Amino acid sequence: ANAFDSSSDGKADKVPVLAGDVPGFSLRRTVIFACVIGGYSCYYLTRKGLESVNAMMIADPTLGMDITQMGILTSIFPIAYGISKFVSGNLSDQFSPRLMLGGGLLMTGVAVTAFGMSSSLWMFALFYALNGMYFFNPLISARCGLSKGLNC
């Protein structure tokens, strides 16, 4: 018998099984939704980090940054994010959304931590660009996961 057979003997009644009839479907749907929202929220928190500390970075004499360098640094994220969009569609078809969401969160955490430990413009730019590149993952995972039930 398959999902479209409504009779126990497997005859071809072909009445589709509704999602609400599958045991545990509502719980699984709720857990998947909560994971996608929670994951995206974590990504969003890493997205706005520089804007909240850029004045302190300019004021810190040990970093030696001026407003022009901060402008360059601030521009890195949207450029990296935009470039990553060309790759993201293909990756979403090739990899599991679970892997992409979890891996993206992990790599974003690494990039943000390394950014915090840096002290030169080039290292700040590198890690902020990596943060922008990894940021595309939740959007892929949410679309792919919700449309395919996280089975892709």
Side-chain angles (χ1 to χ4, degrees), residues 16-56:
V17 175
L18 300 175
D21 296 337
V22 177
F25 176 78
S26 294
L27 176 63
R28 182 175 181 185
R29 180 178 56 183
T30 302
V31 168
I32 290 170
F33 182 75
C35 288
V36 169
I37 294 298
Y40 185 79
S41 298
C42 291
Y43 273 109
Y44 192 78
L45 289 174
T46 65
R47 187 176 173 186
K48 295 293 181 184
L50 183 63
E51 285 82 4
S52 60
V53 297
N54 59 7
M56 290 181 275

Side-chain angles (χ1 to χ4, degrees), residues 88-96 100 140 143-144 148 152:
S88 64
N90 292 325
L91 288 179
S92 69
D93 293 335
Q94 302 296 322
F95 296 104
S96 163
M100 293 191 69
I140 296 166
R143 179 189 57 79
C144 183
K148 298 180 183 177
C152 50

